[in-house]
Amino acid sequence: MLLFTPVETENLRMKNRLVRSATAESMATKEGFVTDEMVELYKKLAEGGAGTVITGYMFVSEEGRASYKMTGISEDRHVDGLKKLVSTVKKADRSVVFVAQLAHAGRQTFISPVAPSAVKDPFTGIEPREMTGEDIERVIDDFVNAALRAEKAGFDAVQLHAAHGYLLSEFISPHTNRRKDEYGRERAKILLDIFEGIRGKSRIPVMIKMNACDFVPGGLEVGEAVRIAKLLDDIGFEAIEVSGGMYESIYHQRYNVVSQKVGKSGEAYFRDYAFRIKEAVNIPVMVVGGVRSLDVAESLLEKVEFVSMSRPLIRDPFLPRKMMAGEADRSDCKSCNLCLTAIFEGKPLGCYSKN
C-alpha cells in the first residue's frame, strides 16, 4: 500500500503519506492553555498510525481568536503547555511529524473582527474593520512570533491557515480583499512576508493550507490559486494542503462546502483542485476533503504526495493502524457533522454520531 510508505519533503521525513488534517479541538482553557483532555486527544492520534498530525488552529493574537476554548500560541506563557503536548506525542510515537497550525480569525469572529477590506460577512452579520498598514505589520509579526513559539515547544513544522475564510484566506480572496495598496495588488504578499519573517529568524519548515476556490461570487478561483501556489513553491514553503470554501459559501452553495456529505458529494471532493495545483508546483501537495476509503486514498497518491483525513480520525483515531493491519479498508464515518456542530457549541471535539 503506497499510503503507508515513507515520503520526504524538503526538510522532513514522514513514515507514511496519511495526514491528520487540522480540526479545532474546543478543549483549551479560556486563556488558550493546553488541557489534559487535549493532550489525550493527540496521544491517541499519534498512537493511531497517521504519519503527520496537524493541530487544530491556534490563535496568533488575542484579536485573532475565532472561538471560545481555542488553543493559544500568542504569548510565551502558552509554550509550557504546548511543550507538554509535543512531548506526549513524541513519547507515543517519535516518528510522527507534529505540525502546529497558526491562524487569525479575521472577520469570522464575534470577538474583534478585522479584514483586508470592510466586506460584511452575511454568516455573522458583522462588517469587519478594514486593517491599516500598521495592523498588517503587527499581524505578520504575530505569525512570525507564533512560529518561533512553536519551534520552542518542539513542533516539527508550522502550517499557515490560509483557507476557509479566515484572515490569510481573506487576503488571497478578491471577494474579501479589495485593497488598492501593495497587499491588494499582490494578494499573496502577506503570505510571502510571513514566510520571509519566519525564515529570517528560524529554519522551522512552513506548510500552508489554502483555498483553491472560495465558492462565492467574485471569490478566489482555481486559476488564481494556482498562480499563488507557484509563488509559495518558489519562496520555499514545505507543502500545500488544498481546501476550499468559507462561512459565506453556504449562502451560495446551500451546503457546507468544507465538510460535505460524502454520500452526496463523493469522496475527495477537492481532488481536482489539488491536482490542478500539483501540476504547477514541485513541492508536495495534500488532498483533503471527504476521503474515507483505502482505495480512494491509493488512487489519489498517483498524482499527489499526501492524503489528509479529519472526520474519520475523529470517529476512530486508530483507523490508520487498522488499515495497515488489514482490519479495515474504509472509515464508517457517515459525515453527520455532529462533531463539528459540537465544537461550534463549545463542546470538546469528538464523535457524537448515534450510529
Side-chain angles (χ1 to χ4, degrees), residues 101-326:
Q101 190 185 71
L102 312 180
H104 187 298
R107 70 174 185 157
Q108 292 184 166
T109 180
F110 293 98
I111 297 169
S112 184
V114 297
S117 303
V119 179
K120 185 177 180 179
D121 185 340
F123 187 86
T124 63
I126 290 173
E127 181 176 306
R129 178 177 63 82
E130 181 171 316
M131 297 173 72
T132 65
E134 291 78 10
D135 290 330
I136 295 173
E137 290 177 7
R138 186 178 65 255
V139 163
I140 291 169
D141 287 341
D142 288 338
F143 273 96
V144 172
N145 290 329
L148 297 179
R149 293 186 189 102
E151 183 177 44
K152 185 180 293 186
F155 285 98
D156 298 300
V158 296
Q159 184 188 61
L160 305 185
H161 194 356
H164 306 165
Y166 296 109
L167 184 65
L168 299 184
S169 174
E170 292 163 20
F171 266 94
I172 62 175
S173 172
H175 172 58
T176 45
N177 183 353
R178 305 176 187 183
R179 303 177 70 91
K180 304 302 182 184
D181 64 4
E182 57 186 342
Y183 289 97
R185 291 190 296 271
E186 174 49 82
R187 292 190 300 278
K189 178 174 169 54
I190 193 168
L191 304 180
L192 306 178
D193 287 355
I194 291 170
F195 182 89
E196 290 181 339
I198 295 171
R199 198 51 74 240
K201 297 180 178 181
S202 168
R203 301 307 301 173
I204 190 169
V206 182
M207 303 178 182
I208 191 164
K209 185 172 190 173
M210 65 174 284
N211 272 6
C213 182
D214 290 337
F215 299 100
V216 300
L220 184 71
E221 299 289 347
V222 67
E224 175 68 356
V226 167
R227 185 191 71 81
I228 291 171
K230 289 180 181 178
L231 295 177
L232 306 181
D233 184 8
D234 290 343
I235 201 172
F237 274 77
E238 195 78 10
I240 299 175
E241 187 175 23
V242 179
S243 192
M246 56 176 62
Y247 286 4
E248 186 178 343
S249 305
I250 196 168
Y251 295 106
H252 306 285
Q253 304 299 318
R254 302 303 173 189
Y255 61 90
N256 185 327
V257 173
V258 178
S259 304
Q260 298 178 37
K261 303 288 187 181
V262 175
K264 294 182 179 180
S265 67
E267 293 188 49
Y269 40 78
F270 292 131
R271 76 171 79 192
D272 291 339
Y273 297 100
F275 292 167
R276 282 280 304 274
I277 287 175
K278 182 58 200 177
E279 288 171 0
V281 301
N282 294 312
I283 57 174
V285 169
M286 302 171 176
V287 175
V288 71
V291 181
R292 294 287 181 272
S293 60
L294 188 56
D295 60 341
V296 169
E298 290 285 315
S299 70
L300 295 171
L301 293 172
E302 295 175 6
K303 293 189 177 182
V304 298
E305 290 82 3
F306 295 96
V307 173
S308 295
M309 292 184 183
S310 173
R311 287 172 289 176
L313 302 186
I314 299 171
R315 175 78 170 173
D316 182 2
F318 295 94
L319 178 64
R321 191 172 295 280
K322 292 176 181 177
M323 285 181 165
M324 280 187 278

Side-chain angles (χ1 to χ4, degrees), residues 332-350:
D332 63 355
C333 173
K334 305 300 183 185
S335 304
C336 68
N337 287 338
L338 292 176
C339 53
L340 306 181
T341 300
I343 61 175
F344 273 104
E345 294 174 348
K347 298 175 184 175
L349 181 66

Side-chain angles (χ1 to χ4, degrees), residues 81-92:
L82 295 170
K83 281 183 177 179
K84 178 181 178 182
L85 183 63
V86 173
S87 175
T88 300
V89 165
K90 294 298 183 177
K91 285 178 182 176

